[in-house]
Amino acid sequence: MILTIETKQSSYPVIMERGVLKRAKEKIGREGHVFLISDDGVPEQWRSLLQQQYPDAHMHVFPQGEGFKNMRTLEDILEDMLDHGVSRKDTVIALGGGVCGDMAGFAAAVYMRGIHWVNIPTTTLAQIDSSIGGKTAVDVGVYKNCAGAFWQPDMVLVDPDVLSTLPLRHYNNGLAEAIKAGILKDPHLFELFETNDIPSHIDEIIARSLFVKKGIVERDETEQGERKLLNFGHTLGHAYEEYYGLDTYLHGECVAMGMMKMIRDDALKARLAKVLEKLDLPCACGADPEEILRLAASDKKADKGTITLVYADALGEAYTKETDLEELKGILGL
Ligand SMILES: NC(=O)c1ccc[n+]([C@@H]2O[C@H](COP(=O)([O-])OP(=O)(O)OC[C@H]3O[C@@H](n4cnc5c(N)ncnc54)[C@H](O)[C@@H]3O)[C@@H](O)[C@H]2O)c1
Ligand SMILES: [Zn+2]
């Protein structure tokens, strides 16, 4: 499957194909040198598959985990790019999850004021969600994605085969974003999660999720309107992430809990709870609601006493609403 993402500056293909990592060089087909970036949690078997196709290219491997998505890692990458003589005509190739894509994409965005890059996402989260949309960033201190840029890749290569090595918790974590896409725009996608063998539908789950995100980001590249829908489950999700720090819950797990709070229809809420339980994703946690309120209200989306929240009352029927803090208290059960 090839999806073309159209943006104001450019358009680029997302090629989803089993085994495409083995054919990356042929698909990318660019002139000039490449600089490979990955992290040490990406299994060697995938890194060497890419390296074999570019025997002369340097692969910069940084330590895995959100704790390394920061300015220090960025600086190491940029210095390494300089040491290896990367020029403005060269191409960065990212091989990894959302952390690697965000880091490598940001490095490509700022190196010599921006060079080409290709993203090869290797987690469900990255294949389903973070690899398209052009958002790249690093965290600054405890502030997630605080320094970043919109910088579109030249190409995204999605190979579902690489998910075979992904630990189950990370596999399920990324599926939270697909459930979100289903609730926002694609009832059939949500229904795939109500079947008995979710992994057997993974290709369709990825493809449908990408299609939902493509439609939204093309219609609203810089988050002026519709793209805000992608924040469904995320305003409270980010508050849970900040409350617990980096080590307790993963991003998708926090989004799962955030989505549960933003559905007001009891029947849909029960369906979502069933799906989340099946995937070992949490529906709720014991976080102090006062603290979650404080964190959500101080989120960058809060403005003059109200906060833009995304609600869903039925599958495919999500909307944003300015919500005052009293109403948010109600949502948090205060
Ligand atoms: N740019 C965006 O639009 C966007 C959207 C959503 C999330 N994000 C960002 O994505 C990040 C989270 O991404 P993630 O969940 O992919 O985390 P991640 O990149 O940390 O990957 C999770 C873990 O899996 C390992 N891994 C990667 N591929 C593997 C594979 N095939 N087999 C085995 N292990 C593998 C990684 O080394 C890491 O330890 C966050 O930093 C978040 O802010 C960005
Ligand atoms: Zn997300």
Side-chain angles (χ1 to χ4, degrees):
M1 181 198 78
I2 301 182
L3 275 181
T4 305
I5 312 291
E6 309 280 352
T7 72
K8 285 194 187 74
Q9 307 126 7
S10 62
S11 76
Y12 59 93
V14 178
I15 302 176
M16 181 185 149
E17 199 176 291
R18 287 199 171 261
V20 74
L21 174 58
K22 280 190 226 106
R23 300 183 283 281
K25 187 174 181 185
E26 171 198 325
K27 298 284 180 195
I28 295 167
R30 281 187 60 83
E31 297 291 310
H33 296 291
V34 300
F35 185 85
L36 312 174
I37 302 180
S38 191
D39 70 57
D40 64 6
V42 176
E44 174 60 29
Q45 71 187 96
W46 309 129
R47 284 193 269 131
S48 60
L49 217 50
L50 184 63
Q51 182 80 71
Q52 280 160 22
Q53 298 170 67
Y54 295 101
D56 300 331
H58 177 69
M59 182 177 286
H60 181 101
V61 180
F62 67 88
Q64 66 188 295
E66 184 73 29
F68 289 92
K69 197 177 106 173
N70 58 30
M71 293 297 228
R72 196 162 306 150
T73 309
L74 177 71
E75 194 173 4
D76 287 346
I77 292 174
L78 296 175
E79 279 177 5
D80 211 16
M81 288 168 75
L82 276 173
D83 288 347
H84 287 85
V86 175
S87 80
R88 300 184 80 162
K89 293 195 200 82
D90 297 339
T91 304
V92 163
I93 304 178
L95 179 73
V99 165
C100 181
D102 279 11
M103 282 286 332
F106 192 43
V110 296
Y111 187 78
M112 298 188 174
R113 298 197 182 82
I115 66 169
H116 294 277
W117 77 292
V118 170
N119 197 358
I120 309 180
T122 62
T123 61
T124 45
L125 184 128
Q127 295 195 348
I128 281 167
D129 187 57
S130 67
S131 60
I132 67 168
K135 282 187 177 178
T136 70
V138 297
D139 304 335
V140 178
V142 294
Y143 298 101
K144 274 202 56 134
N145 302 325
C146 186
F150 280 98
W151 192 245
Q152 308 292 344
D154 286 23
M155 181 179 284
V156 179
L157 297 178
V158 176
D159 184 349
D161 280 350
V162 304
L163 301 176
S164 61
T165 52
L166 193 64
L168 185 62
R169 185 176 175 201
H170 280 290
Y171 189 93
N172 290 341
N173 172 58
L175 295 182
E177 301 282 4
I179 296 167
K180 178 190 81 173
I183 295 173
L184 293 180
K185 297 278 178 191
D186 183 351
H188 179 71
L189 172 54
F190 184 86
E191 286 157 9
L192 290 175
F193 288 99
E194 294 179 311
T195 60
N196 288 330
D197 186 5
I198 295 168
S200 71
H201 300 290
I202 192 67
D203 292 36
E204 188 176 359
I205 288 171
I206 296 168
R208 283 182 172 267
S209 305
L210 288 172
F211 197 73
V212 168
K213 188 156 178 189
K214 164 186 156 73
I216 294 177
V217 301
E218 279 181 356
R219 289 188 293 269
D220 180 12
E221 210 175 304
T222 52
E223 204 163 321
Q224 304 306 308
E226 188 183 359
R227 192 166 179 162
K228 292 196 172 97
L229 289 181
L230 294 173
N231 289 329
F232 180 56
H234 279 63
T235 306
L236 292 178
H238 289 148
Y240 292 126
E241 280 183 294
E242 274 182 53
Y243 179 89
Y244 284 107
L246 296 179
D247 299 325
T248 312
Y249 288 109
L250 300 172
H251 176 73
E253 294 168 344
C254 291
V255 169
M257 297 189 284
M259 290 192 291
M260 280 297 287
K261 292 257 181 258
M262 301 314 298
I263 293 181
R264 295 190 286 189
D265 177 73
D266 286 343
L268 182 57
K269 204 170 189 155
R271 284 174 74 183
L272 175 60
K274 230 169 154 180
V275 163
L276 297 180
E277 275 160 27
K278 211 158 37 166
L279 292 168
D280 265 334
L281 288 167
C283 292
C285 59
D288 174 5
E290 294 276 3
E291 262 305 285
I292 297 301
L293 176 73
R294 191 186 64 74
L295 291 166
S298 65
D299 191 89
K300 55 184 183 294
K301 288 158 205 91
D303 184 28
K304 297 185 192 118
T306 67
I307 181 163
T308 310
L309 290 179
V310 187
Y311 296 80
D313 293 344
L315 291 180
E317 288 174 33
Y319 56 93
T320 57
K321 186 166 95 72
E322 286 304 311
T323 305
D324 63 31
L325 295 188
E326 279 309 305
E327 200 174 345
L328 181 54
K329 276 187 184 171
I331 290 169
L332 291 168
L334 280 166

